[in-house]
């Protein structure tokens, strides 16, 4: 487990996974990915858990990967990386998932929500997927899922040009279910989770599978992305981008 991932199970069948690293805008380390992967796997195995809610410490959902931690682990094959193991578990989780997004949601902070069954955002939510800017390619099957949600041209803006979007645009594009004040956001997400958890479990999972469509095609896209991601990770473009970012990140 990780000290920066808080996991709480409520009496009404909701597992809350809270990313709690506010000093780094909830940037994710390998240990944090491992903790979330384990929490999802346990949720699928637990009869008492009927829904999962993802949230961040107030003011940020997640700034994406902690690049310093990510670069430190880059000597190992990407197929073994905690980030990819979490993404695979995210894609295969049978328990309904809900995201409560407040503040920035960068990289995996955005692509994670594409796997959620319900997504709610505060007016302060800001989504962005800057993979190409870092010399990388999209992950978490976002190159497959996003065009099917928003259309090819809009997905190209978001993934190739790294164009960000706010909560209102996300609502208009059908990427979030609703926008509400930050003070009500988590309460509402948990209430919806409790509603899902109170429904017949088998019917929920069967309906969810029908809604989501071709699981095999989505996972194939995820694995194709992982191969391309590892190739780009070793390329000079990515190495230079990481060096620039980490150089800027150093305190003056």
């Amino acid at each position: 487990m990780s000290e920066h991932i808080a996991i709480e199970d409520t009496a009404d069948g909701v597992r809350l996974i809270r990313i709690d690293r506010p000093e780094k805008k909830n940037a994710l380390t390998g240990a944090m990915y491992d903790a979330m992967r384990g929490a999802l796997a346990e949720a699928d195995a637990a009869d008492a858990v009927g829904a999962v809610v993802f949230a961040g410490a107030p003011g940020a959902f997640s700034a994406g990967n902690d690049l310093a931690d990510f670069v430190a682990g880059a000597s190992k094959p990407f197929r073994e990386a905690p980030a990819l193991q979490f993404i695979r578990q995210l894609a295969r989780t049978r328990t309904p998932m809900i995201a409560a997004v407040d503040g920035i949601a960068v990289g995996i902070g955005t692509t994670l929500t594409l796997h959620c069954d319900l997504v709610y955002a505060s007016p302060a939510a800001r989504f962005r997927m800057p993979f190409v800017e870092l010399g990388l390619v999209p992950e978490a099957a976002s190159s497959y899922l996003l065009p099917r949600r928003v259309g090819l041209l809009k997905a190209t803006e978001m993934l190739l040009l790294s164009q960000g979007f706010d909560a209102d645009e996300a609502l208009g594009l059908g990427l979030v279910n609703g926008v509400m004040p930050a003070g009500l956001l988590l309460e509402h997400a948990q209430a919806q989770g409790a509603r899902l958890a109170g429904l017949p479990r088998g019917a929920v999972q069967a309906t969810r599978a029908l809604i989501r469509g071709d699981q095999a095609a989505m996972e194939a896209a995820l694995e194709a992305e992982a191969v391309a991601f590892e190739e780009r990770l070793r390329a000079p473009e990515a190495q230079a981008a990481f060096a620039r970012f980490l150089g800027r990140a150093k305190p003056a």
Side-chain angles (χ1 to χ4, degrees), residues 25-212:
K25 298 187 186 300
N26 297 329
L28 295 164
T29 64
M32 294 164 73
Y33 278 121
D34 281 339
M36 292 195 296
R37 178 191 53 75
L40 287 179
E42 289 170 3
D44 269 357
D47 291 339
V49 177
V52 170
V53 172
F54 286 101
F61 187 63
S62 175
N65 281 317
D66 181 312
L67 278 188
D69 180 82
F70 192 73
V71 170
S75 59
K76 297 179 181 178
F78 182 64
R79 62 181 176 274
E80 299 174 6
L84 182 57
Q85 302 311 314
F86 166 72
I87 286 168
R88 285 171 171 155
Q89 178 62 56
L90 182 69
R92 295 169 185 168
T93 293
R94 300 184 308 278
T95 305
M97 296 179 288
I98 301 170
V101 182
D102 180 31
I104 61 170
V106 178
I108 186 66
T110 293
T111 60
L112 179 157
T113 68
L114 298 175
H115 293 271
C116 291
D117 303 278
L118 298 168
V119 182
Y120 301 99
S122 78
R126 297 293 183 273
F127 302 86
R128 193 162 180 266
M129 295 168 283
F131 301 111
V132 172
E133 288 184 355
L134 291 170
L136 301 171
V137 298
E139 36 81 314
S142 54
S143 64
Y144 175 84
L145 294 171
L146 191 62
R148 285 157 178 75
R149 298 278 188 90
V150 304
L152 182 62
L153 296 179
K154 194 64 182 178
T156 298
E157 286 184 341
M158 294 175 173
L159 293 175
L160 197 54
L161 296 178
S162 305
Q163 182 170 300
F165 51 101
D166 62 15
D168 287 337
E169 184 172 1
L171 181 62
L173 290 168
L175 292 172
V176 305
N177 294 87
V179 179
M180 61 198 62
L184 302 177
L185 181 65
L186 183 56
E187 179 183 354
H188 181 76
Q190 288 185 291
Q192 296 297 87
R195 288 184 63 188
L196 286 170
L199 295 169
R201 194 69 50 87
V204 166
Q205 292 189 358
T207 302
R208 183 177 185 267
L210 290 167
I211 292 170
R212 293 167 79 87

